[in-house]
């Protein structure tokens, strides 16, 4: 368990912990890097690509879960910043920096917003300095910790976040990597530190929606070293209600149904020559495919946003 950190701040020199990059294991797939692959990123390795390929073979439209989860996050952060007035975000299990990160969304609306990212993949740390630039008024920090080290996360985050003021805790597509009641204990520990007026942004895999498809994907990932816990809607709701939070409308819904607005598919690149696309493997074509043809049969993630009274 490490405490490597990097911070971008207009008022203070940046900090960078030692040793993170040296611990990168490129021989095994990592969820954050597989996620990066499906978002069209380049910060992944052969093992991650192989895991993505296996998942796509198990469910050819499975990439829609990743891309719609990302757009749910955009809509949720926009709502919390523009309508709820929250100016601090703690994004745990953030994954690799890409387009439309939390700090970019929040600081575009409220430049003074402060954002702390947390992840346990040292590849994220390696890229944070270049990709997590912030504006002159706001502040962005990255700390390297496992989600389950929630007490250490709070201690490190306090260098950037004022826990006497409302904070939005972001747990997007991360709790399904934590088994059993431990996931609830971690969430409770983090939420207990947040004051009244704070919020929770959460998305989570489930068997409720399309169990065969997600079961096939989970099997492919488990064979490559990481298991995913699929929880039912009622248990996912407990992450909010057990901690006294009130879930906002439209409640607990598939990610593409949470306050749908104009689709912003940031992962899709400019259309290249069709002959070039046709020559790619199926797994590489996903980055050139749109996501506006999504149906309920494609999605296996529930989403919710909740407020702390």
């Amino acid at each position: 368990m490490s405490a490597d950190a990097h911070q971008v701040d207009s008022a203070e020199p940046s900090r960078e912990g030692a040793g993170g990059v040296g611990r990168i294991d490129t021989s095994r797939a990592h969820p954050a890097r597989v996620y990066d692959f499906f978002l069209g990123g380049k910060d992944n390795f052969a093992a991650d690509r192989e895991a993505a390929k296996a998942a796509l073979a198990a469910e050819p439209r499975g990439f829609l879960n990743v891309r719609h989860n990302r757009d749910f996050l955009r809509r949720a952060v926009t709502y919390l910043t523009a309508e709820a007035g929250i100016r601090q975000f703690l994004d745990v299990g953030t994954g690799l920096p890409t387009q439309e990160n939390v700090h970019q969304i929040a600081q575009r609306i409220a430049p003074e917003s402060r954002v702390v990212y947390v992840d346990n993949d040292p590849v994220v740390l390696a890229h944070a300095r270049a990709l997590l630039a912030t504006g002159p008024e706001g502040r962005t920090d990255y700390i390297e910790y496992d989600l389950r080290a929630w007490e250490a996360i709070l201690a490190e985050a306090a260098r950037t976040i004022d826990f006497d003021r409302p904070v939005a805790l972001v747990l997007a597509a991360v709790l399904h990597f934590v088994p059993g009641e431990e996931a609830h204990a971690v969430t409770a520990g983090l939420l207990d530190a947040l004051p009244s007026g704070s919020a929770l942004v959460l998305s989570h895999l489930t068997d409720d929606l399309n169990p065969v498809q997600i079961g096939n994907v989970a099997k492919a990932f488990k064979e490559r070293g990481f298991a995913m816990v699929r929880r039912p809607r009622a248990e996912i709701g407990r992450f909010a209600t057990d901690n006294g939070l009130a879930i906002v409308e439209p409640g607990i819904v598939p990610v593409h149904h949470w306050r749908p607005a104009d689709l912003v598919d940031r992962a899709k690149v400019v259309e290249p020559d069709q002959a070039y696309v046709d020559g790619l493997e199926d797994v590489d074509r996903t980055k050139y495919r749109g996501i506006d043809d999504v149906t309920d049969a494609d999605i296996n993630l529930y989403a919710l946003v909740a407020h702390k009274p």
Side-chain angles (χ1 to χ4, degrees):
M1 187 169 58
S2 61
D4 301 311
H6 174 72
Q7 183 177 72
V8 181
D9 186 353
S10 61
E12 298 179 7
S14 63
R15 302 188 309 274
E16 185 172 0
V21 177
R23 298 190 309 278
I24 297 173
D25 181 0
T26 63
S27 67
R28 298 183 61 184
H30 189 285
R33 301 195 301 260
V34 177
Y35 191 90
D36 175 72
F37 180 90
F38 279 126
L39 287 175
K42 298 179 180 179
D43 299 314
N44 48 77
F45 301 100
D48 308 305
R49 185 180 186 281
E50 180 59 30
K53 188 175 180 178
L56 199 65
E59 172 47 61
R61 290 172 65 81
F63 70 96
L64 291 168
N65 277 300
V66 174
R67 303 254 291 271
H68 276 282
N69 180 71
R70 192 73 186 184
D71 202 52
F72 155 68
L73 179 62
R74 175 189 64 84
R75 299 192 305 274
V77 173
T78 298
Y79 157 70
L80 289 172
T81 309
E83 298 184 39
I86 289 181
R87 297 293 182 264
Q88 301 188 109
F89 293 83
L90 178 59
D91 185 355
V92 183
T94 180
L96 283 145
T98 182
Q99 294 177 320
E100 291 296 274
N101 298 289
V102 170
H103 76 285
Q104 293 168 316
I105 301 164
Q107 291 175 359
R108 186 162 56 237
I109 299 167
E112 70 276 18
S113 297
R114 295 186 170 199
V115 180
V116 172
Y117 295 101
V118 184
D119 206 282
N120 68 346
D121 182 4
V123 171
V124 180
L125 176 64
H127 290 274
R129 183 170 192 170
L131 297 179
L132 295 183
T134 191
E137 298 175 60
R139 191 170 176 182
T140 304
D141 193 8
Y142 171 80
I143 57 179
E144 187 189 345
Y145 269 119
D146 187 279
L147 165 67
R148 288 162 288 199
W150 59 268
E151 292 174 303
I153 288 171
L154 292 171
E156 292 280 344
R159 297 188 299 198
T160 301
I161 288 178
D162 179 358
F163 284 101
D164 291 326
R165 297 169 50 221
V167 179
L169 172 64
V170 179
L171 296 172
V174 65
L175 287 176
H176 46 242
F177 295 111
V178 184
E181 286 298 311
E182 186 176 19
H184 292 279
V186 166
T187 305
L190 290 168
L191 287 172
D192 187 59
L194 308 186
S196 174
S198 293
L200 170 67
V201 176
L202 184 145
S203 58
H204 197 296
L205 283 173
T206 184
D207 275 337
D208 290 356
L209 304 174
N210 299 290
V212 174
Q213 295 95 315
I214 192 58
N216 291 336
V217 172
K219 181 175 182 291
F221 282 153
K222 187 175 183 179
E223 290 171 350
R224 285 154 182 83
F226 50 93
M228 299 188 299
V229 181
R230 288 95 68 196
R231 292 181 169 94
R233 184 178 184 276
E235 185 179 356
I236 292 170
R238 283 183 49 208
F239 288 111
T241 58
D242 282 5
N243 294 291
L245 275 63
I247 300 172
V248 304
E249 290 296 332
I252 306 169
V253 295
V255 285
H256 63 307
H257 287 314
W258 196 90
R259 302 195 179 191
D262 293 338
L263 185 67
V264 179
D265 187 9
R266 298 291 184 182
K268 192 170 184 247
V269 300
V270 175
E271 291 290 344
D273 179 78
Q274 190 59 45
Y276 168 76
V277 176
D278 291 343
L280 297 173
E281 286 192 68
D282 287 345
V283 69
D284 295 309
R285 291 179 191 169
T286 59
K287 70 179 69 176
Y288 302 110
R289 295 177 61 182
I291 64 172
D292 54 355
D293 64 342
V294 66
T295 70
D296 289 349
D298 297 319
I299 298 299
N300 297 283
L301 281 160
Y302 278 127
L304 67 85
V305 174
H307 286 289
K308 186 172 184 178

